[in-house]
Amino acid sequence: MSVNLKELAKKEELLTAGHRLCAGCAAPIVVRQVLKAVEKKPIITVSTGCLEVATSIYPYTAWKTPWIHTAFENAAATASGIEAMMRFYEKQGIIKERPDIIAFTGDGGTYDIGFQALSGAFERGHNYLHVLYDNEAYMNTGIQRSGGTPHAAWTTTSQVGKAIPGKLEWKKPIARIMVEHNAPYVATVSPSHWRDLITKVRKGLAVDGPAFIHAIAPCPRGWRTRSDIAIELSRLAVQTCLFPLWECENGEYRISTPSLTYVKRPERKKPITDYLKLQGRFRHLFNPPRPEIVTKIQNFIDKEWETLLKRANVTS
């Protein structure tokens, strides 16, 4: 499945300039790349969150597609209804072919509040693409921790002190959970690897049934970072294997080429400290130094990476 950069550059931007997302936010980068992958204008639904609030301030919209705002908890239910309606219209001859249907949700609307609707939509087999832009906290409502917040991260509800060094729990493995729904296609993507992202979105749109794309989306406000390093952070997440790139088609795991590099060349895999030190939400791990926590995080990442390699039948 070839991806031609020159042809992509000529395509119409379906998310326009002028939205109010923060400078340096990775969410609109993810969305623009996803929409570059589509061959026809999709119907889009977006749950409440940073993306929705900042792109649809009444009476304005940044979307050049049919677009529906839903509550935090029901983007997947809305996508299910749209898909059922389009299927009916096609059966009745009202439309000749069904449009692509895409739901965009943040981590709060996916890991937590929206998981019931998401699980139900995938169990019923609705034919749509669900894209999680994961900024790892409830950024829109005040940087509260979510099921997607990583271990030891500071948020306004996982405070940092001598007794509690940030969030105590580990990040929920949401993509693997969606694989266990027998989804025909699940993949992780990073905006730093645009070709891989676009290829996977096209695969997700092509399957017959629900597809799930998990995109990492750094947030300068909540991660306490400079506004010009979202892509650097996205790349480091892949290079440290904190967020390895993989896909699962009909139950078969496959490590994507960017991450497969660290199997063939393990010396190129970067330590997690390279990633953590750039983020103010982890500052308390280095000042004063908390090496036992950093080591714990590194060991967890290494174990998860080995688990993924085993699932994909890859020998490290």
Side-chain angles (χ1 to χ4, degrees):
M1 192 177 293
S2 62
V3 178
N4 187 300
L5 182 58
K6 290 184 178 180
E7 292 302 316
L8 291 176
K10 295 176 184 177
K11 294 186 70 171
E12 180 184 14
E13 293 285 354
L14 299 181
L15 179 70
T16 66
H19 57 71
R20 284 98 183 275
L21 285 158
C22 298
C25 175
I29 302 173
V30 169
V31 172
R32 288 181 66 207
Q33 290 183 11
V34 168
L35 296 181
K36 286 291 187 181
V38 303
E39 301 298 333
K40 52 194 174 183
K41 282 191 176 181
I43 298 176
I44 291 173
T45 181
V46 181
S47 66
T48 296
C50 295
L51 180 63
E52 174 272 321
V53 169
T55 59
S56 61
I57 299 174
Y58 182 82
Y60 306 104
T61 179
W63 300 90
K64 297 180 73 174
T65 64
W67 182 89
I68 301 174
H69 164 224
T70 69
F72 256 126
E73 66 272 15
N74 62 347
T78 300
S80 300
I82 297 169
E83 190 269 343
M85 178 178 66
M86 291 298 114
R87 189 162 13 99
F88 174 78
Y89 280 176
E90 184 181 46
K91 185 177 181 180
Q92 294 297 312
I94 299 172
I95 59 174
K96 292 184 179 180
E97 65 174 336
R98 281 176 270 170
D100 292 327
I101 300 162
I102 304 175
F104 289 102
T105 57
D107 51 294
T110 310
Y111 287 88
D112 303 330
I113 301 174
F115 184 73
Q116 179 176 336
L118 173 62
S119 179
F122 274 59
E123 183 271 330
R124 294 189 301 272
H126 288 284
N127 190 359
Y128 83 104
L129 177 67
H130 198 108
V131 179
L132 159 62
Y133 67 96
D134 189 359
N135 55 28
E136 300 189 327
Y138 288 85
M139 302 305 184
N140 178 53
T141 56
I143 318 177
Q144 297 92 351
R145 57 87 78 198
S146 77
T149 304
H151 178 71
W154 168 89
T155 72
T156 54
T157 52
S158 57
Q159 294 288 339
V160 171
K162 292 181 180 179
I164 302 177
K167 187 188 174 191
L168 297 176
E169 301 80 15
W170 297 93
K171 187 180 178 80
K172 188 189 296 183
I174 189 67
R176 295 209 309 264
I177 291 171
M178 300 319 297
V179 169
E180 295 305 317
H181 282 69
N182 295 319
Y185 191 76
V186 176
T188 63
V189 300
S190 170
S192 60
H193 295 77
W194 60 268
R195 191 184 300 274
D196 177 76
L197 184 152
I198 290 172
T199 299
K200 287 173 176 174
V201 168
R202 287 179 173 171
K203 285 184 178 182
L205 290 171
V207 299
D208 183 16
F212 185 82
I213 299 286
H214 182 188
I216 190 165
C219 167
R221 182 73 181 87
W223 291 22
R224 298 297 197 251
T225 65
R226 299 200 324 261
S227 61
D228 61 344
I229 62 169
I231 296 302
E232 180 182 354
L233 286 167
S234 300
R235 185 176 294 110
L236 277 169
V238 175
Q239 292 172 333
T240 58
C241 293
L242 169 72
F243 194 86
L245 300 179
W246 56 270
E247 60 186 349
C248 185
E249 293 185 81
N250 297 312
E252 297 293 327
Y253 279 82
R254 181 165 54 251
I255 309 296
S256 305
T257 300
S259 288
L260 198 57
T261 301
Y262 310 113
V263 179
K264 298 177 180 178
R265 299 283 302 276
E267 71 278 5
R268 298 180 67 179
K269 179 173 176 253
K270 295 192 175 182
I272 194 58
T273 50
D274 288 5
Y275 177 79
L276 299 177
K277 284 183 175 179
L278 293 176
Q279 304 172 53
R281 61 178 179 160
F282 295 111
R283 186 181 296 116
H284 56 285
L285 300 182
F286 303 98
N287 186 23
R290 300 292 300 271
E292 73 283 2
I293 299 176
V294 176
T295 299
K296 184 180 178 183
I297 294 171
Q298 183 67 69
N299 290 341
F300 180 82
I301 291 168
D302 293 343
K303 182 180 178 182
E304 288 289 291
W305 174 237
E306 290 298 327
T307 298
L308 179 59
L309 294 180
K310 288 178 182 178
R311 287 171 182 253
N313 293 316
V314 173
T315 303
S316 59

